[in-house]
Amino acid sequence: MVVLSGCSSWVCSETTAERGEAAVRVEVEDATGRLVGATAEVVGWRLEPHPQVPAEGDQVHFRFRFHGGDEGSGPAVDACAVDDARVALGCRTVHASQAFGPGGDPTGDDYLAVEHPERVAAVLMIPNDQSVFDRRTCEDDPKDGGGAHPPEPAGAGDRL
């Protein structure tokens, strides 16, 4: 009879990616900082009431485009309306699957509700892919958690 004995040390480790540099056009990167072969860009924006809630006043209506990658399922990046000092007034995650259209030029649009729409100077994209839905941590699940995580989504007040 052979008895095998051994020990295994499972060490759960995790890292959170640094937030990438926001711009009108960004190359999307995964949680480890590698480029995923896709770009996201804001192709225009304007202030106008949302058609479903016009009584709420002006919102930031922006159009965006994704190039490359798998437009059918990912990636996703944060889009933020910013003031002249690049302080976020409001942000939301937009997915490549929201962009569609003829040919290889898929576009989408969305709205950002901000407290002071008159202060909006630009709409910027943040390059970090936010499409990862499983954000289990080592604390939540020492066996299957951990690994690389995207940065926390941007929000109002963040300097980009």
Side-chain angles (χ1 to χ4, degrees):
M1 175 155 79
V2 176
V3 177
L4 297 174
S5 114
C7 64
S8 137
S9 61
W10 180 264
V11 177
C12 186
S13 66
E14 58 190 311
T15 59
T16 299
E18 293 291 321
R19 186 175 291 156
E21 182 71 28
V24 171
R25 185 174 198 265
V26 296
E27 292 188 58
V28 182
E29 56 191 53
D30 67 13
T32 65
R34 288 188 312 242
L35 298 178
V36 300
T39 59
E41 69 179 306
V42 176
V43 293
W45 67 273
R46 63 182 178 269
L47 298 177
E48 66 182 23
H50 191 290
Q52 295 176 335
V53 286
E56 292 182 6
D58 280 345
Q59 294 186 15
V60 181
H61 182 201
F62 66 100
R63 292 182 45 246
F64 57 91
R65 177 179 299 134
F66 280 87
H67 299 281
D70 181 6
E71 284 89 2
S73 61
V77 296
D78 288 335
C80 297
V82 298
D83 65 12
D84 286 329
R86 292 178 62 109
V87 173
L89 302 172
C91 300
R92 92 169 34 251
T93 301
V94 293
H95 296 261
S97 61
Q98 291 174 261
F100 52 89
D105 197 21
T107 60
D109 72 308
D110 211 334
Y111 286 83
L112 287 163
V114 298
E115 191 171 335
H116 297 285
E118 71 280 359
R119 292 179 40 204
V120 176
V123 177
L124 303 177
M125 297 286 198
I126 300 173
N128 306 95
D129 184 7
Q130 294 287 338
S131 66
V132 178
F133 294 109
D134 185 7
R135 294 180 186 238
R136 291 181 291 181
T137 64
C138 290
E139 185 175 298
D140 297 333
D141 186 346
K143 182 176 178 251
D144 297 322
H149 300 284
E152 288 296 315
D158 289 350
R159 183 173 298 276
L160 306 179

